[in-house]
């Protein structure tokens, strides 16, 4: 069964830029996968950052951007801040009404 | 403002049943897909089930097929998740979710604990 892959962890320096990726164990991610990105702090519900590859959800600052890089979806955070330290999840549309989340990336800002 | 409020979680024994509800407001409920997403303690997000705006299309993740039933009542702006034959691995926070093309709005979640 195809799974959605993400880096388990990543670190970035304050003020730096980081790119997280979202791929498929078999095949390539395209805009037809409608990639989305979410962030979640401990004990809180997730919040949507990006949907349909590169559209920012309401109220999301332009430090967050989405794209397709090679055969993966990507989330780029520029000017990383301390409160960007949290978990990031991607989602892909697998077809036939099925959506699937990646395993999540724990981002550390230090 | 979109609001989604889950209820019905709690402690249930293995093999038992539970029904979750989600009360929605702030948008035209009858025009939107609805879904349930769960998160086991310390784990990632898992898409569980979704239902089309008119209830005519329904999808489930394989691990809950035959045990869970998603439904909705557009007159009451509510969706439901009937869960039966519950297992320890169903223990999770269950989130009510809606949106278009992945632009998701989330409830605060309700905790379901399956344990004897």
């Amino acid at each position: 069964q195809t799974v959605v892959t993400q880096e388990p962890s990543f670190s970035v320096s304050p003020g730096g830029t980081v790119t997280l990726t979202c791929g498929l164990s078999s095949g390539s991610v395209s805009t037809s996968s409608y990639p989305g990105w979410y962030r979640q702090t401990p004990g809180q519900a997730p919040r949507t950052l990006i949907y349909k590859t590169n559209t920012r959800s309401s109220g999301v600052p332009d430090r967050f951007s989405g794209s397709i890089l090679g055969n993966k979806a990507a989330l780029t955070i520029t000017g990383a801040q301390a409160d960007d330290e949290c978990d990031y999840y991607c989602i892909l549309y697998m077809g036939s009404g099925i959506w699937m989340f990646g395993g999540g990336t724990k981002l550390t800002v230090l | 403002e979109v609001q989604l409020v889950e209820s019905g979680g709690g402690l249930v024994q293995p093999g038992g049943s539970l029904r979750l509800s989600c009360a929605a407001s702030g948008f035209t409920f009858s025009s939107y897909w609805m879904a349930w997403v769960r998160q086991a303690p310390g784990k990632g997000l898992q898409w569980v089930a979704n239902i089309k705006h008119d209830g005519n299309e329904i999808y489930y993740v394989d691990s809950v097929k035959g045990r869970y039933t998603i439904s909705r009542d557009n007159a009451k702006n509510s969706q439901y998740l009937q869960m039966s034959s519950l297992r320890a691995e169903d223990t999770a926070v269950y989130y009510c979710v809606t949106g278009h093309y992945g632009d998701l709005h989330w409830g605060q979640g309700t905790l379901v604990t399956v344990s004897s």
Side-chain angles (χ1 to χ4, degrees):
Chain A
Q1 183 183 3
T2 301
V3 297
V4 178
T5 61
Q6 295 184 248
E7 299 88 356
S9 62
F10 227 111
S11 63
V12 61
S13 300
T17 296
V18 62
T19 296
L20 311 182
T21 68
C22 176
L24 288 169
S25 58
S26 176
S28 298
V29 176
S30 69
T31 56
S32 299
S33 304
Y34 300 107
W37 292 90
Y38 312 87
R39 59 180 282 166
Q40 185 183 33
T41 53
Q44 298 297 313
R47 174 195 174 189
T48 301
L49 294 172
I50 301 287
Y51 64 101
K52 281 204 297 186
T53 305
N54 55 16
T55 303
R56 276 183 293 276
S57 190
S58 177
V60 174
D62 57 10
R63 302 190 298 107
F64 296 90
S65 61
S67 63
I68 298 291
L69 289 181
N71 62 352
K72 296 182 178 182
L75 172 71
T76 299
I77 307 171
T78 58
Q81 302 174 358
D83 62 4
D84 292 332
E85 184 166 296
C86 61
D87 295 326
Y88 291 84
Y89 293 93
C90 70
I91 197 172
L92 299 175
Y93 181 63
M94 308 300 284
S96 301
I98 304 297
W99 293 79
M100 187 176 292
F101 287 100
T105 297
K106 185 176 184 64
L107 181 67
T108 300
V109 180
L110 52 74
Chain B
E1 179 191 359
V2 173
Q3 285 203 320
L4 302 168
V5 180
E6 304 94 337
S7 61
L11 175 64
V12 60
Q13 292 189 338
S17 299
L18 211 56
R19 188 194 196 209
L20 306 183
S21 300
C22 172
S25 61
F27 64 105
T28 305
F29 182 82
S30 59
S31 298
Y32 280 74
W33 278 83
M34 297 297 298
W36 291 94
V37 173
R38 69 183 178 182
Q39 187 170 35
K43 303 297 185 182
L45 302 171
Q46 183 182 37
W47 193 276
V48 173
N50 47 303
I51 182 168
K52 195 177 177 182
H53 64 279
D54 57 8
N56 285 340
E57 291 183 38
I58 288 174
Y59 303 96
Y60 299 97
V61 68
D62 284 348
S63 57
V64 308
K65 284 180 180 176
R67 301 188 300 122
Y68 287 18
T69 301
I70 188 173
S71 62
R72 63 189 297 158
D73 185 337
N74 287 346
K76 295 183 177 180
N77 288 353
S78 295
Q79 74 154 345
Y80 309 96
L81 189 66
Q82 178 68 47
M83 306 182 293
S84 61
S85 302
L86 284 162
R87 308 165 181 167
E89 54 265 36
D90 296 318
T91 294
V93 174
Y94 285 72
Y95 293 103
C96 175
V97 171
T98 189
H100 281 315
Y101 293 110
D103 186 16
L104 301 180
H105 298 274
W106 303 72
Q108 282 304 302
T110 187
L111 176 62
V112 173
T113 303
V114 184
S115 175
S116 54

